[in-house]
Amino acid sequence: MAEVAAAVAIGWGMQAAGWVASPVISDLYKKASSYLGFDASEKLSELQPNILLLERVIGAVEESPYRPRLEGLYSNLKSAFYEAEEILDDVEYYRLEKIQDDRLKAKVVGPSHRLKQIWSAVKSSPLKHKCHFLSQESGMPKVKLKKKLDRVEEVINDACKVLELMNLPSTSGANQSHVAAESRGSVTTSRPLSKIIGRDEDCVKIVEMLHEKEKHDQPNSNTAPCYSVVGIHGIGGSGKSTLAQLVCAREKKDSHFDLVMWVHVSQHFSVRTILMEIFEAATGTLCTEFKNRDTLQDKLEEKLRGRRFLLVLDDVWYNIRDITQSENLQQILSPLKAGEAGSKILVTSRTEDALLALGTVKQRCIPISVLDEDVFCSLLMNYALHGVPVDDNARRTLEDIGKEIAKKLKRSPLAARIVGGQLRIRQNVEFWRSVRNRDLLNETTGALWWSYHHLCEQVKRCFAFCSIFPRRHLLERDELVKLWTAEGFARCTSEGEEMEDVCREYFDELVSASFLQLKAKKDPRENDYYLVHDLLHDLAEKAAGSDCFRIINSFKEEKFLTVEVPPNVRHIFVWTYDEELLTKKIYQLYNLRTLIIGDGFSLQSVGERVLECIFQSLRKLRVLIITSSSCMNIDFPLDVAVPSSIDQLRHLRYLAFRTGINYFTVIRMILPATLSKLYHMQILDSGSNKVVFSSCEDICSLVHLRHVVCFNDLEIPTISRLTSLRTMPAFNARKEQGYELRQLGNLNKLRGQLWIRGLENIESRTEALEANLVGKEGLDTLKLSWKRVDVTPESQAQVLEGLCPPKDLESLTIEGYKCPRYPSWMHNGGPKHVNHLELSHCTKPGPELGGFCAHLRELTIEWCSWDALPDYMEHMTSLQTLHIMHCNNIRLLPALPQSLEYFKLRTKNEVLLSSCRTAGDPDWQKIKHIPYFTEWAARWAQQCGRKRSAPLWVFLLVDQGFSHAGHDGA
């Protein structure tokens, strides 16, 4: 049971000591020192020995009689840290308020050098060389901050005094390494277990990859390596090594490879030791005589020369931040170049990054599959009952209990092996029932805790935060990144580093280590969603402790008021809006930082009184998200007013009032002028609602605003001052002051998509150039729109010429463009990677557009009065999707590229539709290489001898409402 003890010890230790050992304590003192005027490095050097002591004794506290006292100290430390962090937030708030006051004073007397100084300070990073902006009258309690820092120091020192009394041997680090060794698991070999269940399909898939012939598998090829790499990655205990053993066993029986070798790498390895093990695996003899590594490498190359080999590198660990590890892995691969072409390396690792570092291409990084529930139950029963003499009646009873046990193990193969081994010892109902009632998670997740332990501290915080969401909740990368950024989880390590970019790296690290897993798609056009495996969700809950809590209530059930909410909780998710629940359970949680209400039915039900109570009671909120269902009630109010007391939420970073799409009414979210006092605000999201500011005068004081998500364009004058802005729905260019196109000029952090309307108000190329679109390198989607008004084509051509997008643009839409001459940047000096082009209400382009379209994968032409499509479409050899929508004058199709996979035609032109339906017709000949796949088209296709089972689609739709039941794309 050593493994069990290790799991429990690490489990408790990680949730407790993370706050002590992490860099956040250092950051806290460094930021505070700039305000309080003390030497942070000196203070940290005093605390460092005690911090290290606390870190080293984590694993030894579990069975200690001092544990209750230490747990109280850790809890106090965390509370002290939170409070100090909030006071620092106040420091920054008062700094920004002072800057805003100075700006308003300068505005009274007109533009001046002083105003420029103020805005220069606003745009630079917070708390660096700005303390002179704080006056003694600012109201910032310096004494209070000093007391909180003293409290942090006091708790650390008190905890260390208790640890000294305990006289633990682990203070030398011995116990820590023991825990690590126990939880990491034993060294593996190539020999599989007697019976492996549920991995046959995965094995076949990997064997096929190992037998694939590479392009460079040519005798005269001297540049490419003789081998390629296939990788298996997944969380600890998920069965990676077992699958590799199954593959290895099959390859030993096959004659495809001349040599099959297995080497266990592990986290800490020596290059020389691994090379010696490869040599021993290749020769079958001990490697003791080569003390020089160069000699060892030469001899290994000699043994591998001319032989096609399979080398399994099992349990490879990799830290993307440690360049030494990458160099060591490359040194291991160096002698393998002597092998025969067609050799392969099979790697297992907990992270995808390790596979990529060894040269695996993305398509050959195989995530370990999750076993089906029935298969997993069979696996558990195999460990527990295989070969055990039990009579049929007893076996049936045990199997029924085993099914219940299997559900608690969350389909972890390691857990099945551990628990199955325990069940095998005693085949009696009482014992099996006692096992069923135990906390099996703590007893079986040592490997997971070990993997979790090796994440950096901030990545741990991000992962633990995921426990706020319900099991199997679909997670989006950008949403998680925004949440983590708003919570302050990012730790920037270099000047100019963006918080969201750092959090995106955290996300990628969690995906690489399989803590977040990509949901399988039924349709490749679906968005990417991620899941937390049930076993890992339990791990996240343990790691979060009392910080995170969720209430999965339902309007169909009784009031969910019996739930006990931890009084010191910081983050809460409520599945369904319930005013009584908020009143009795949540308004009293004064330290709450996150409140997410998953389904509020309607913003009408979340009334002004409820919002008023939230604003007055939960003043430490950083994230407030209220999501309501779509409401089809025609009487739904047009306006929803947010109370002016929102300015009480001075720590707020993320505000969202989301409503599902309402086809009857546009809901206007009226935000009060006091919103301009929320200087920390980063994200403003109204979903499909329209945002209306009751006063736009000071909205630009939200200098940290990064994202605005709303239904319509922003009505914010002088938006150029919001230089932190990264996403905005649309910009409506107007001729009046403060809304000119040049307002976009300085917003170079914009990324994602941007829709520019009102281009009919722009008259020259010079005006268009002032938008500086080419400098907005983060944009990937751009839409440019002219209204159908009296604008000359030549004027449009000049404006479009000046709107050159950034070079990495992926999608471009042009609407209302009436000039047949398209800009020069489309074929010289503009974006090179555009894969989607949409032309709406546009004049037919000339032949110069052909070069720009050569690399397109998707083309949409809609509401255009063209009499024909361009003749050069046949040469668009990358085109996969073509949409022709409401272009009713087109009567004939040009030759279409053979690459086309999806063609959607929506028209009232019966001539074109008829020719596409008639076998042998010229238009039918042009599209016959694209199989039709609708119920109606299938009948027509059968008459023409076409195969119904063809995988690609063409939809022919008629405006009069032809029925195509059961086809999503129609």
Side-chain angles (χ1 to χ4, degrees):
M1 296 293 291
E3 188 166 354
V4 174
V8 175
I10 295 176
W12 173 77
M14 287 303 103
Q15 56 181 295
W19 292 100
V20 181
S22 88
V24 296
I25 295 295
S26 299
D27 289 350
L28 181 66
Y29 274 90
K30 288 174 183 176
K31 287 181 179 180
S33 67
S34 66
Y35 179 63
L36 296 178
F38 65 85
D39 188 343
S41 58
E42 180 180 344
K43 177 60 66 176
L44 287 171
S45 65
E46 294 175 8
L47 287 176
Q48 193 66 21
N50 286 347
I51 293 175
L52 291 176
L53 176 62
L54 288 171
E55 183 181 7
R56 285 200 302 265
V57 299
I58 290 170
V61 178
E62 181 62 25
E63 303 301 329
S64 168
Y66 293 95
R67 175 180 170 177
R69 184 173 173 185
L70 278 170
E71 284 186 324
L73 288 170
Y74 279 129
S75 178
N76 292 340
L77 175 60
K78 187 154 60 171
S79 295
F81 168 79
Y82 270 132
E83 290 173 9
E85 192 177 47
E86 285 154 3
I87 293 174
L88 276 177
D89 215 38
D90 284 334
V91 171
E92 173 66 0
Y93 180 88
Y94 284 116
R95 184 186 71 82
L96 292 171
E97 186 177 51
K98 182 69 166 60
I99 291 172
Q100 178 64 10
D101 289 343
D102 287 351
R103 186 191 72 80
L104 292 175
K105 291 176 183 177
K107 189 176 180 180
V108 173
V109 297
S112 65
H113 179 66
R114 173 63 177 160
L115 182 59
K116 293 180 181 179
Q117 281 185 325
I118 291 171
W119 280 107
S120 175
V122 171
K123 290 187 286 186
S124 52
S125 59
L127 287 174
K128 276 196 173 181
H129 316 299
K130 321 268 207 324
C131 296
H132 54 277
F133 282 105
L134 293 167
S135 67
Q136 295 297 325
E137 293 78 27
S138 67
M140 186 58 228
K142 291 185 178 182
V143 175
K144 191 174 181 181
L145 175 58
K146 180 65 168 61
K147 285 183 177 179
K148 292 303 177 185
L149 292 177
D150 290 343
R151 179 60 179 154
V152 171
E153 182 179 356
E154 177 186 343
V155 176
I156 291 175
N157 292 333
D158 285 350
C160 287
K161 289 177 183 178
V162 176
L163 294 173
E164 290 172 2
L165 291 174
M166 293 167 63
N167 194 26
L168 297 171
S170 59
T171 53
S172 66
N175 195 68
Q176 179 85 357
S177 59
H178 171 70
V179 169
E182 290 288 352
S183 54
R184 189 179 66 83
S186 58
V187 174
T188 60
T189 72
S190 65
R191 296 182 179 274
L193 299 170
S194 57
K195 185 177 181 181
I196 296 177
I197 296 174
R199 296 298 183 193
D200 289 337
E201 289 185 12
D202 293 335
C203 180
V204 169
K205 180 179 179 181
I206 291 172
V207 167
E208 287 176 355
M209 289 184 177
L210 295 177
H211 291 189
E212 281 179 359
K213 190 173 181 62
E214 304 294 331
K215 293 180 180 179
H216 60 258
D217 285 357
Q218 304 296 330
N220 58 353
S221 178
N222 297 318
T223 56
C226 67
Y227 60 84
S228 58
V229 186
V230 177
I232 308 169
H233 64 97
I235 59 175
S238 58
K240 303 180 298 294
S241 297
T242 300
L243 176 55
Q245 288 168 337
L246 183 59
V247 171
C248 198
R250 293 196 182 182
E251 292 299 347
K252 285 182 177 179
K253 294 178 181 178
D254 198 345
S255 58
H256 183 79
F257 295 104
D258 303 321
L259 182 63
V260 178
M261 303 171 285
W262 178 287
V263 174
H264 181 80
V265 180
S266 77
Q267 183 186 14
H268 303 292
F269 64 88
S270 156
V271 174
R272 183 173 182 276
T273 301
I274 297 301
L275 292 176
M276 288 175 62
E277 290 190 23
I278 296 175
F279 184 89
E280 291 175 4
T283 61
T285 59
L286 291 174
C287 178
T288 56
E289 65 270 26
F290 307 123
K291 295 183 179 180
N292 184 283
R293 201 167 84 182
D294 288 340
T295 305
L296 174 59
Q297 286 181 297
D298 292 341
K299 289 296 182 180
L300 181 55
E301 288 182 18
E302 182 182 315
K303 294 297 181 182
L304 296 179
R305 187 165 290 113
R307 303 175 77 179
R308 183 164 61 187
F309 64 80
L310 169 63
L311 170 63
V312 180
L313 296 176
D314 184 44
D315 196 19
V316 175
W317 286 70
Y318 178 68
N319 183 350
I320 197 170
R321 301 176 183 84
D322 187 353
I323 191 171
T324 305
Q325 279 192 328
S326 179
E327 293 172 350
N328 289 343
L329 290 174
Q330 293 305 315
Q331 289 178 25
I332 290 173
L333 299 180
S334 178
L336 305 180
K337 62 187 178 183
E340 183 71 16
S343 295
K344 294 289 193 296
I345 300 175
L346 178 61
V347 183
T348 73
S349 178
R350 303 185 185 202
T351 69
E352 188 180 44
D353 289 336
L355 309 182
L356 297 174
L358 284 165
T360 317
V361 296
K362 193 79 172 180
Q363 295 80 0
R364 289 183 170 176
C365 295
I366 311 300
I368 190 74
S369 60
V370 179
L371 294 176
D372 178 82
E373 286 187 9
D374 293 336
V375 173
F376 179 75
C377 190
S378 299
L379 178 65
L380 176 62
M381 290 301 97
N382 180 69
Y383 284 126
L385 294 177
H386 180 67
V388 177
V390 181
D391 66 73
D392 291 343
N393 288 334
R395 181 178 291 272
R396 281 193 292 270
T397 303
L398 294 176
E399 286 177 347
D400 288 341
I401 301 173
K403 290 178 182 178
E404 298 178 52
I405 295 174
K407 291 178 181 179
K408 298 183 69 173
L409 299 181
K410 310 297 171 59
R411 290 184 275 182
S412 165
L414 176 63
R417 178 158 58 88
I418 295 172
V419 176
Q422 297 173 8
L423 297 174
R424 189 179 183 86
I425 299 172
R426 296 170 61 185
Q427 290 82 41
N428 65 73
V429 173
E430 291 78 11
F431 178 73
W432 281 48
R433 284 175 177 162
S434 69
V435 171
R436 178 191 62 189
N437 296 330
R438 293 205 315 244
D439 183 1
L440 296 177
L441 174 67
N442 269 340
E443 298 182 13
T444 58
T445 54
L448 292 182
W449 279 117
W450 182 240
S451 296
Y452 173 78
H453 169 63
H454 283 84
L455 299 173
C456 79
E457 194 58 47
Q458 295 312 114
V459 178
K460 290 178 189 175
R461 281 187 87 180
C462 292
F463 173 67
F465 181 83
C466 292
S467 68
I468 194 178
F469 299 107
R471 295 181 187 277
R472 317 303 294 173
H473 187 77
L474 297 182
L475 303 170
E476 295 181 88
R477 184 185 73 162
D478 289 345
E479 175 67 5
L480 272 182
V481 166
K482 289 175 183 176
L483 283 168
W484 294 342
T485 303
E487 299 292 356
F489 293 163
R491 287 292 175 265
C492 299
T493 57
S494 60
E495 187 73 24
E497 196 171 23
E498 292 283 352
M499 294 184 295
E500 283 171 329
D501 294 337
V502 173
C503 287
R504 196 168 283 108
E505 289 180 12
Y506 296 163
F507 182 92
D508 292 342
E509 186 170 343
L510 288 171
V511 172
S512 173
S514 298
F515 283 87
L516 293 173
Q517 299 171 349
L518 182 64
K519 178 183 177 290
K521 295 182 180 181
K522 295 181 179 179
D523 185 330
R525 291 170 293 178
E526 288 181 8
N527 293 332
D528 287 339
Y529 292 102
Y530 294 82
L531 296 167
V532 179
H533 185 279
D534 285 352
L535 192 65
L536 288 163
H537 199 280
D538 290 338
L539 179 73
E541 289 178 353
K542 293 272 183 183
S546 61
D547 277 1
C548 297
F549 196 77
R550 63 183 181 276
I551 302 176
I552 311 300
N553 55 340
S554 171
F555 69 95
K556 295 180 181 178
E557 301 171 359
E558 295 181 0
K559 295 296 183 181
F560 205 85
L561 299 176
T562 57
V563 64
E564 289 298 325
V565 181
N568 58 345
V569 65
R570 308 286 171 167
H571 314 287
I572 279 188
F573 176 96
V574 181
W575 182 261
T576 302
Y577 171 77
D578 186 313
E579 184 173 346
E580 190 176 359
L581 176 67
L582 286 173
T583 304
K584 294 188 176 181
K585 293 290 183 180
I586 297 186
Y587 290 163
Q588 291 76 31
L589 303 173
Y590 304 116
N591 291 318
L592 200 63
R593 289 191 172 193
T594 305
L595 176 58
I596 301 177
I597 300 177
D599 187 355
F601 298 113
S602 71
L603 289 174
Q604 189 177 28
S605 63
V606 186
E608 185 174 351
R609 187 180 66 84
V610 174
L611 293 176
E612 184 80 38
C613 290
I614 291 175
F615 299 161
Q616 294 290 349
S617 302
L618 308 177
R619 298 191 180 189
K620 294 182 180 180
L621 281 179
R622 293 185 172 210
V623 174
L624 174 60
I625 298 176
I626 300 176
T627 303
S628 61
S629 306
S630 60
C631 181
M632 297 302 178
N633 184 356
I634 196 73
D635 296 324
F636 197 91
L638 287 173
D639 296 341
V640 176
V642 176
S644 60
S645 58
I646 194 172
D647 64 350
Q648 299 299 309
L649 303 182
R650 292 184 172 183
H651 300 276
L652 196 65
R653 270 102 165 140
Y654 193 156
L655 175 65
F657 297 114
R658 298 171 181 155
T659 305
I661 296 175
N662 188 318
Y663 297 100
F664 297 96
T665 305
V666 174
I667 303 165
R668 302 195 316 160
M669 296 297 305
I670 301 177
L671 299 176
T674 53
L675 185 81
S676 63
K677 293 290 186 180
L678 304 183
Y679 302 125
H680 287 304
M681 182 69 74
Q682 297 174 2
I683 303 154
L684 187 59
D685 182 354
S686 67
S688 64
N689 307 319
K690 181 176 181 179
V691 167
V692 177
F693 299 105
S694 60
S695 171
C696 294
E697 186 65 24
D698 297 321
I699 293 301
C700 289
S701 62
L702 303 181
V703 293
H704 291 313
L705 191 63
R706 304 163 75 85
H707 303 279
V708 179
V709 183
C710 64
F711 187 67
N712 290 320
D713 47 304
L714 289 176
E715 298 290 337
I716 300 179
T718 325
I719 199 173
S720 59
R721 286 157 49 193
L722 296 179
T723 54
S724 296
L725 208 58
R726 305 189 88 176
T727 60
M728 57 188 292
F731 178 81
N732 192 17
R734 308 202 310 239
K735 292 184 178 180
E736 59 187 284
Q737 185 176 357
Y739 297 93
E740 308 92 338
L741 188 61
R742 63 181 172 84
Q743 294 293 330
L744 295 176
N746 292 328
L747 304 184
N748 288 334
K749 291 184 180 181
L750 287 175
R751 58 175 55 190
Q753 61 183 23
L754 175 63
W755 184 2
I756 302 179
R757 300 171 179 164
L759 288 175
E760 65 276 4
N761 296 314
I762 310 304
E763 299 177 353
S764 67
R765 179 174 178 269
T766 302
E767 279 187 83
L769 284 170
E770 289 181 324
N772 189 27
L773 293 187
V774 73
K776 298 170 184 21
E777 298 179 354
L779 287 181
D780 55 49
T781 301
L782 178 65
K783 184 174 181 179
L784 305 173
S785 297
W786 283 264
K787 283 185 178 179
R788 287 173 286 179
V789 295
D790 187 19
V791 180
T792 65
E794 183 57 34
S795 174
Q796 286 186 324
Q798 290 297 316
V799 171
L800 188 57
E801 187 69 42
L803 293 174
C804 179
K807 61 181 180 178
D808 293 326
L809 192 75
E810 297 176 5
S811 176
L812 174 64
T813 298
I814 301 176
E815 184 178 51
Y817 185 71
K818 300 303 181 182
C819 183
R821 187 177 78 254
Y822 279 70
S824 61
W825 49 258
M826 279 193 160
H827 49 83
N828 182 26
K832 303 295 184 183
H833 310 292
V834 172
N835 55 53
H836 172 256
L837 175 65
E838 180 175 338
L839 302 177
S840 177
H841 296 96
C842 290
T843 298
K844 183 179 176 181
E848 71 275 5
L849 192 60
F852 183 76
C853 295
H855 303 293
L856 285 183
R857 294 204 301 269
E858 184 173 347
L859 175 63
T860 298
I861 302 170
E862 63 177 10
W863 298 106
C864 294
S865 57
W866 308 355
D867 56 3
L869 294 174
D871 295 332
Y872 48 75
M873 292 195 65
E874 184 179 14
H875 304 293
M876 298 166 62
T877 55
S878 298
L879 194 66
Q880 298 174 359
T881 301
L882 175 62
H883 293 173
I884 309 296
M885 311 289 288
H886 309 292
C887 300
N888 297 323
N889 294 335
I890 297 176
R891 295 175 178 270
L892 294 173
L893 294 177
L896 298 176
Q898 293 297 309
S899 60
L900 202 61
E901 298 179 357
Y902 180 90
F903 178 32
K904 185 173 182 179
L905 175 63
R906 186 179 181 95
T907 180
K908 292 180 179 179
N909 193 317
E910 288 292 341
V911 174
L912 179 58
L913 286 172
S914 177
S915 64
C916 288
R917 296 170 182 165
T918 306
D921 188 280
D923 283 327
W924 182 89
Q925 294 286 351
K926 294 166 186 173
I927 63 175
K928 68 178 183 179
H929 64 285
I930 312 171
Y932 291 73
F933 199 63
T934 66
E935 183 179 346
W936 161 76
R939 291 197 298 270
W940 170 81
Q942 287 175 344
Q943 295 172 3
C944 302
R946 309 278 303 276
K947 292 183 179 180
R948 181 177 179 142
S949 60
L952 307 179
W953 297 356
V954 172
F955 292 104
L956 293 178
L957 303 181
V958 185
D959 278 355
Q960 285 80 1
F962 194 90
S963 175
H964 298 279
H967 300 283
D968 296 338

